[in-house]
Every structure is written in structure tokens, then in C-alpha cells.
Amino acid sequence: GAGVSQSPSNKVTEKGKDVELRCDPISGHTALYWYRQRLGQGLEFLIYFQGNSAPDKSGLPSDRFSAERTGESVSTLTIQRTQQEDSAVYLCASSPGGGAIPNTEAFFGQGTRLTVV
Amino acid sequence: GESVGLHLPTLSVQEGDNSIINCAYSNSASDYFIWYKQESGKGPQFIIDIRSNMDKRQGQRVTVLLNKTVKHLSLQIAATQPGDSAVYFCAENMGPTGANSKLTFGKGITLSVRP
């Protein structure tokens, strides 16, 4: 596809269930980010992948959150035992820059709106 | 810095006036800066960027100014239109490699354009 694709676009889950969110970055982009955005608030950094380097997980709020990326392709963000406080829009972004070449803009997907009931 | 736990401040401007949105960034080693616009229900979209070897960069109706001495970034929008109403974020990159190479966002400001 032409842009960053996220699925599902909306997810309603019961408290205590696990959820998996998917991000398909733009082909060839080495950098991939996950952010969380609560209603009316800013972007909260979660995790950053850059090529084959170890991911920067410093933004993950608890051990219930984890993310994986297969090479420079798809990434999945998993939230275990979801809580109502996890309700938010989860945004993924990818960028061709970083690593061996200068940084450039990151391109965002439309996000996954997660509602925990 | 990170934008967690705070509702966003609002800047209200009259249609046709110029808007100035300000951002204080956190790291003097940052070498690349971006302004994003986020409309309701959408992901952030790129507006304009600037590297640290520049003080000013102009786009179509937008200008970004960088003051490295005081770690300040601003976005100027000329002749503000209703379609400019959105949340605006600044972002910084602290270098192309290593632990600080990730893109870090500021808190965001809501721009509201009065007709």
C-alpha cells in the first residue's frame, strides 16, 4: 500500500482480555514507532524499532505491553489483561530515516481505537 | 518532551489573521525538527521540517523558525483558514543513530479558527 496501514481500525474488548494490534509500515522504511493517544491528549511514546537494532522499549507503561517487528516489515503491539485505562487510540508510524542515513519525517497510520469495557 | 496526562492548550485566532504556534524542545543535541498537524479522527500529518543547520524554512503559507540558543521552535501560519483548525505537534530527533534517534513529540496545541 501507499501508506502506513493499521488494523483493526476499531477494537472493543472486555477488561482482562488480550488484544493484538497490527501495523504495516511503508515498504522499505527501517524505523517504526508506536504511540498511544488518549482522548484530547498528546502523543505518548511506547516503542521504537530501527532496522536490526534492539528496540527502544522505554515508553512501554507496564509489562502487560509488548511489541514485535519482523525484520523491516509488520509490527504487532500486544496488550495483555487489558484495563479500562488502556482505552485510547494507538498510532503507528514509519520512517525511511535513522540508522545509517539522516532522519526524515515519520508517516502515520490512521490508528486503532481501542475501547476496553 | 513526552506529552502525557495533560489536556492540550488552545490557541484561538480570527480567520485571516496570522497564527504563531510555539514549542520548546528538550535536547540541545537534537538535529532535526518537524511540525505535524492532526485533524480530528486522523493520524498526524507532516507540515514542514527543519534541520539544525538552518534558522528558518518556508513552505506554502507556513514558516518554521528555529532558535537553538533557547531551544525554541515556532510555526507561523499566514492568513489562517478554518481548515487550519487542528492539533499541532512539534517533534525532535536527537540524532540518526543510537538510543536517542527516536522521534519525540511535544505536548501539542489545539488551534481554533474563529470565522
Side-chain angles (χ1 to χ4, degrees):
Chain A
V4 177
S5 178
Q6 292 188 245
S7 61
S9 54
N10 281 283
K11 176 71 177 179
V12 180
T13 189
E14 291 181 353
K15 179 180 173 182
K17 300 284 189 182
D18 298 352
V19 295
E20 191 172 277
L21 312 180
R22 177 186 170 106
C23 174
D24 284 86
I26 294 172
S27 178
H29 282 195
T30 59
L32 187 146
Y33 303 84
W34 282 99
Y35 293 90
R36 178 169 70 180
Q37 188 173 34
R38 293 195 169 103
L39 186 64
Q41 296 187 14
L43 300 173
E44 180 185 0
F45 167 76
L46 296 177
I47 190 167
Y48 166 60
F49 296 90
Q50 175 55 262
N52 294 319
S53 301
D56 179 346
K57 303 180 181 180
S58 61
L60 295 177
S62 76
D63 59 6
R64 296 187 296 106
F65 287 73
S66 63
E68 293 185 350
R69 187 181 187 194
T70 307
E72 295 183 354
S73 182
V74 171
S75 177
T76 55
L77 176 69
T78 301
I79 309 173
Q80 295 178 308
R81 305 181 302 281
T82 52
Q83 304 294 314
Q84 288 185 327
E85 68 206 41
D86 300 333
S87 296
V89 174
Y90 289 82
L91 289 160
C92 175
S94 72
S95 171
I101 64 175
N103 290 308
T104 59
E105 69 190 89
F107 297 81
F108 281 83
Q110 294 299 300
T112 293
R113 181 175 299 278
L114 175 66
T115 304
V116 182
V117 298
Chain B
E2 297 296 345
S3 48
V4 177
L6 297 175
H7 285 277
L8 304 175
T10 299
L11 173 66
S12 180
V13 299
Q14 189 72 39
E15 180 179 357
D17 287 353
N18 296 334
S19 301
I20 300 176
I21 302 171
N22 295 307
C23 174
Y25 63 91
S26 59
N27 194 313
S28 57
S30 292
D31 65 352
Y32 179 62
F33 305 88
I34 312 173
W35 279 102
Y36 282 90
K37 173 185 180 183
Q38 186 178 29
E39 297 177 55
S40 181
K42 298 183 179 180
Q45 289 192 302
F46 171 88
I47 303 174
I48 191 167
D49 59 2
I50 189 168
R51 298 196 183 274
S52 58
N53 59 352
M54 301 173 68
D55 297 322
K56 179 179 179 179
R57 191 165 186 222
Q58 288 187 290
Q60 188 175 16
R61 274 201 314 119
V62 294
T63 301
V64 55
L65 299 176
L66 175 63
N67 185 331
K68 294 182 287 292
T69 303
V70 294
K71 294 189 289 185
H72 186 268
L73 193 68
S74 68
L75 177 71
Q76 300 178 357
I77 304 174
T80 312
Q81 302 170 359
D84 295 326
S85 293
V87 177
Y88 290 81
F89 294 97
C90 66
E92 60 183 306
N93 253 125
M94 300 182 191
T97 60
N100 291 325
S101 61
K102 67 178 183 285
L103 193 63
T104 303
F105 282 80
K107 298 188 189 314
I109 295 174
T110 300
L111 178 66
S112 176
V113 181
R114 303 189 303 273

